[in-house]
């Protein structure tokens, strides 16, 4: 699994002109599922994200976790995180998980987040979404379970 974690002041996702999910201070997580991923990868990734100390403390140092600050989470499915651009000009997405697997693992990841965070919002798997955010910092981290 791959995730792009953006520390945000606020973020939202809009589908067909309607806001379907929004958060205040916390993380926007763009989540991609690979064809070899399973529950173990989802758990490893979520636990790493939840434990990250990338929120600012009272001295402006990145020393607090999302839990420490009572932050919120917005999770948006993003199969394009598995784009392979090594050949030609058009990306290949063959490493991305099949839609049924990817949706199941996306929902599982969201359930893990909801067990730890009081407010977790989502987009809609497979939908054409417009994601808005105010990146705090900016602070963006990319994680891949193959590297954790």
């Amino acid at each position: 699994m791959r995730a792009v974690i953006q520390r945000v002041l606020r973020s939202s996702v809009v589908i067909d002109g309607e806001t379907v999910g929004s958060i205040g201070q916390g993380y926007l997580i763009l989540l991609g599922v690979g064809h070899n991923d399973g529950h173990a990868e989802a758990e490893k990734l979520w636990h790493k994200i939840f434990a990250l100390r990338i929120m600012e403390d009272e001295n402006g140092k990145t020393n607090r976790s999302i839990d420490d600050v009572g932050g919120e989470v917005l999770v948006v499915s993003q199969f394009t995180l598995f784009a392979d651009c090594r050949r030609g000009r058009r990306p290949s997405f063959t490493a991305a998980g099949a839609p049924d697997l990817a949706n199941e693992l996306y929902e599982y990841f969201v359930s893990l987040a909801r067990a730890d965070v009081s407010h977790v919002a989502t987009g809609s798997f497979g939908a054409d979404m417009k994601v808005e955010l105010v990146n705090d910092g900016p602070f963006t981290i990319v994680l891949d379970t193959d590297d954790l």
Side-chain angles (χ1 to χ4, degrees):
M1 294 183 95
R2 293 180 181 160
V4 174
I5 302 101
Q6 295 183 300
R7 188 179 74 189
V8 299
L9 296 177
R10 65 182 175 279
S11 184
S12 62
V13 62
V14 175
I15 300 172
D16 295 329
E18 179 183 342
T19 301
V20 297
S22 65
I23 63 166
Q25 180 187 29
Y27 300 158
L28 165 62
I29 301 172
L30 304 175
L31 183 70
V33 176
H35 60 80
N36 291 324
D37 291 331
H39 284 210
E41 286 76 17
E43 292 165 8
K44 180 192 294 188
L45 184 59
W46 170 249
H47 293 305
K48 182 68 170 187
I49 292 170
F50 187 64
L52 285 175
R53 295 181 352 176
I54 61 173
M55 300 300 282
E56 289 186 353
D57 64 14
E58 60 280 351
N59 298 314
K61 303 290 183 189
T62 53
N63 201 28
R64 301 182 82 194
S65 71
I66 190 128
D67 191 40
D68 293 336
V69 300
E72 301 174 342
V73 172
L74 173 60
V75 185
V76 176
S77 63
Q78 186 84 44
F79 80 94
T80 60
L81 292 177
F82 278 88
D84 181 349
C85 298
R86 290 178 290 184
R87 294 184 179 168
R89 295 179 295 177
R90 184 175 181 194
S92 169
F93 299 102
T94 59
D100 290 346
L101 167 70
N103 188 34
E104 192 272 324
L105 288 175
Y106 167 76
E107 293 295 339
Y108 182 65
F109 182 90
V110 169
S111 74
L112 294 171
R114 286 186 169 141
D116 291 327
V117 176
S118 63
H119 179 70
V120 176
T122 65
S124 180
F125 185 88
D128 180 19
M129 296 175 274
K130 309 301 181 216
V131 179
E132 299 175 334
L133 70 140
V134 176
N135 197 318
D136 183 16
F139 204 108
T140 302
I141 293 179
V142 178
L143 296 177
D144 188 318
T145 54
D146 288 343
D147 300 328
L148 297 180

